[in-house]
């Protein structure tokens, strides 16, 4: 099994992750991970902290020797480059406790209130620091190790933004690769130039008005053989695991496979992807309405999912709230944040999808080394060819 944990507060000294179960013999470098950290970090609509202060870099602290994984746990550390400005606020020492740093007005839509109630805290910073989407830097690092493993099996992960602030991109006729290439060049990861311009304007307007915007992005995974995941138990179903991983990303409120909700308006005969076979391709489909997953298993078509990101809860023009100490009605705390993180969220979506897929690949092909897994993979592909 490939599993991981992350630790770290948004403005703490560093984020840390431990990934376990990555097979031995996988070539990986810090630069490979840093490239993905940078893709996540910079997009139009993110806050000043990201644009000007930090450039995330990972340190691989264990599990790799001479450029290859050892099969032992991999520890990843991403330092907070802004730590010197937070040393007192996030200090470990009781001597640094200070009233002037206390935050007491929870933001509607954030973890603040439920968190202080649950953990019996009197300072919303004790909650918001861990609830922050800063943590996704660690998950992106983990997901990049998993992405590297998936590359060995010809599995690739793409993403692009399809909607922000109600402005919808039109992608008809674009291949996944073409849409991805355009997204990579877009400040808001939107492959439709016309929509991109409107989105950029909408983000500027929201910023001026002290507001935030949400949106929708698509993640596509190509190269999966049929049979990753399993229909046999609820917690083995690949779509369920992907949905959990996506909805666990901060501010994510929904996930659908392909156009899952729209599908309900069709009849079965207009929806399901008919099955064909030829000697070269084996079984195949001419459509992919299922989004690549049937019965909790990959069916050999690309996995296509859409993720919904709500507008962030940190507003410069705050909503009504209540002081948790005095119970007086007050406006919510103004906490520096992003206006629209959807483009960056898409990269996190790619990363968490990679963690789920890497685990599914490990489950299916087993093995302690990349060699062993690849031998098993090749045998399975033979089995599919001879079926
Ligand atoms: C975040 C608020 C902002 C973002 C941060 C997530 O931080 P700050 O309040 O320090 O400006 O910049 O995201 C990151 C630092 C990151 O790396 O993604 C929040 O409240 O979730």
């Amino acid at each position: 099994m490939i599993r991981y944990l992350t630790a770290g507060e948004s403005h703490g000294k560093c984020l840390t992750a431990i990934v376990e179960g990555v097979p031995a013999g996988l070539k990986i470098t810090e630069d490979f991970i840093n490239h993905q950290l940078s893709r996540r970090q910079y997009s139009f609509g993110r806050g000043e902290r990201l644009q000007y202060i930090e450039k995330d870099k990972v340190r691989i602290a264990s599990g790799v020797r001479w450029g290859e994984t050892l099969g032992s746990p991999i520890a990843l550390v991403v330092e907070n480059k802004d730590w010197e400005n937070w040393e007192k606020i996030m200090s470990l020492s009781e001597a640094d406790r200070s009233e002037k740093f206390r935050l007491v007005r929870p933001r509607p839509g954030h973890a603040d209130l439920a968190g202080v109630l649950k953990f019996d805290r009197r300072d919303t910073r004790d909650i918001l620091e861990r609830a922050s989407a800063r943590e996704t830097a660690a998950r992106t690092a983990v997901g990049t190790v998993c992405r590297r493993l998936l590359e060995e099996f010809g599995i690739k992960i793409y993403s692009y933004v399809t909607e922000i602030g109600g402005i919808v991109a039109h992608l008809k006729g674009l291949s996944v690769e073409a849409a991805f290439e355009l997204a990579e060049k877009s400040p808001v990861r939107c492959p439709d130039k016309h929509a991109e311009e409107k989105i950029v304007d909408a983000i500027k307007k929201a910023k001026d008005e002290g507001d935030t915007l949400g949106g929708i992005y698509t993640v596509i995974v190509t190269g999966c053989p049929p049979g990753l995941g399993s229909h046999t138990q609820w917690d083995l179903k690949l779509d369920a695991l992907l949905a959990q991983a996506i909805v666990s990303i901060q501010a994510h409120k929904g996930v659908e496979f392909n156009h899952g909700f729209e599908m309900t308006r069709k009849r079965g005969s207009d929806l399901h992807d008919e099955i064909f076979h030829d000697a070269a391709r084996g079984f195949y489909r001419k459509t992919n309405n299922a989004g690549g997953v049937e019965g909790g298993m990959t069916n050999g078509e690309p996995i296509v999912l859409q993720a919904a990101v709500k507008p962030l809860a940190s507003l410069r023009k705050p909503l009504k709230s209540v002081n948790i100490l005095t119970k007086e009605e007050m406006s919510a705390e103004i906490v520096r944040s992003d206006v629209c993180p959807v483009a960056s969220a898409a990269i996190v979506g790619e990363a968490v999808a990679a963690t789920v897929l890497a685990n599914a690949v490990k489950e299916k092909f087993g093995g302690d080394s990349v060699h062993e897994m690849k031998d098993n993979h090749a045998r399975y592909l033979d089995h599919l060819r001879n079926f």
Side-chain angles (χ1 to χ4, degrees), residues 207-223:
K207 184 175 186 204
D208 290 345
E209 292 168 358
D211 224 322
T212 56
L213 295 179
I216 300 174
Y217 65 83
T218 300
V219 174
I220 296 171
V221 187
T222 62

Side-chain angles (χ1 to χ4, degrees), residues 129-146:
E129 282 289 333
R130 181 63 186 160
S132 162
R134 172 71 188 150
E135 186 261 347
T136 62
R139 276 198 270 180
T140 303
V142 172
T144 307
V145 175
C146 294

